[in-house]
Amino acid sequence: MRNILYKMRTPAQSILLVLSLCSLTAPALARTALQDEQALHPDNIVFLEQNWDARDRQWFYHLNQGSNLLSYDLFLHLEQYDSQELLREPLHMMRFGFLPGVESGTNPDALPIGFARDGDNVGLTCAACHTQHIRYDGKLLRIDGGQAMLDLPLFLHHLEQSLTAAINDSAKLTRLGRRYHGERASAQEILALKTLLQEDLARIRDNNRRNHSPAAYGYSRLDAFGAILNKGLALTGVNDNFNEPDAPTSYPYLWDTPQHDYVEWNGSQSNSHIGALARNIGEVIGVYGRVQTTPATWLYFYDAGYPSTVHTKNLRAVEKKVAALHSPQWPDIFPAIDEEQAARGRTLYQQYCLSCHQDIDRTDPQRRIKVRMSSLEKLGTDPKMAANVLEMRGKTGIFEGKPRFYLVGQVMGAEEPALFVANNLMGGVLRNNPLQSLLAIRDSKKLGHPEVIHPPKYLDGEILARGEEVSDRALLAYKARPLNGIWSAAPYLHNGSVPNLYELLLPAAARSKTFYIGSWEYDPVKVGYVSGPAPGAFLFDTRLPGNSNAGHEYGAGADGLPTLGEEEIRALVEYMKSL
């Protein structure tokens, strides 16, 4: 069933489409390893010390950012496509990796973590992709800002099927109408509800069609850049104007993100000046924020940019909250770190890792991070994500003749890199929020970021010449960040292609070609999730496009043979547990 949901999107696979439709009457799907009843009870969860309290967490989990996925009341009452149980039922939502929420002032209907209400609509927040559970010795650990075990495309395909079933199954539609309007729902009310369902379905179906990838992402990954770029191209007014988002990356951990000079896996976004707010606007646009592409006019003459559902004030607040977040430390419930072995590992870390992954004080409020960029050629990891950002193109439609950054920059022709259209959208939304834009610049200065929009960054350890930092050479690279909290960030590499820290230190040829992801069970020896054919687990195949586990062979020589012995690898892993 899992593969059908991913593959049914193309006409050439009509057989799979028929099979998926037949499944509408099939028994409910078997429970997966992620559907853990222990997680339904907050008292069962161990919260690590990360400088947030319970109020901070609830605020972050459900703060409205302006994402409009579908109608709020529909989401409350919509049934699963293959049963009469609600789609939002907590145990069911855990199938996709969403963590159960609790009833609170910010979450009155106890929606999963990462869902928030925006007026009559419901959408996603940062917390959906950046809140993590780890299980060890029967205990569940919560890591805020960590890498979620989330399969968003799988959820969206289930959502599409559930909306379709509600429209086509009169019994489902009647039950939905009674939940929505009350037991005496009239025929006219149910007909109006069907129209609302059709409107939401059209948006979800179009999103799924545009963002279908020939290779499934699986848990803990998403091609967020591809989705954002495709959303921009969808707003051009040109039909079928999209690219396959076929370069999924891991959800990166959030701690220290505001303190970096550059963010994103390819270091493409500066945190200086207006950059952090622009980045977060792009994120909301990518996860179903709505933008009106006809510029607003204030006082009859002032170009006020693009009105949108984006809540820029809240985005600034999120950035400040994340700036206070500390990375998690190796928990006491795990086996104790071997201090003698870790000390040997520190020496090796200084030799092999420190030139790229700098040391920081995880709790220092003045910590600042200058990222180091490694070129694709030197690093050797899968190039697809970095290359796609530059190479994805599309028709500009209504944006033809407009500057790339809304008021300034290169004027766009009939066809341009998709990134240019996304830049115009972000610039237009910023223009529509002048006060928050000015305050975001102030926030950047308080964090100590330079005032220039594109400060220098480092590629292969050498600072780039001014002007070169936005060249193809700079963007065809991946970022190396400090590794505090790295023990919680499996699977590793930017595309999640290496299951644990131990294997990351092996030559690429010795790493697993396939492994399973989809369980919270943790392996504190190799440092990663336990890989095994658990119910519902996703089989990650490193031989598929975008999934290569090559590169980052700093424990191997030019001939591909290991330069680190088994004891040295174990010592390095032991030290990295302490970061």
Side-chain angles (χ1 to χ4, degrees), residues 226-246:
I228 292 169
L229 298 183
N230 277 341
K231 180 63 176 290
L233 294 179
L235 294 174
T236 61
V238 180
N239 292 330
D240 295 326
N241 193 27
F242 59 88
N243 299 275
E244 284 186 350
D246 56 1

Side-chain angles (χ1 to χ4, degrees), residues 23-31 80-85 92 95:
S23 71
L24 293 177
T25 58
L29 297 173
R31 182 171 294 185
Q80 300 167 30
Y81 71 88
D82 57 352
S83 81
Q84 294 186 29
E85 295 293 320
H92 181 67
R95 172 185 300 279

Side-chain angles (χ1 to χ4, degrees), residues 526-538:
K526 291 188 174 181
V527 185
Y529 290 106
V530 173
S531 174
F538 177 81

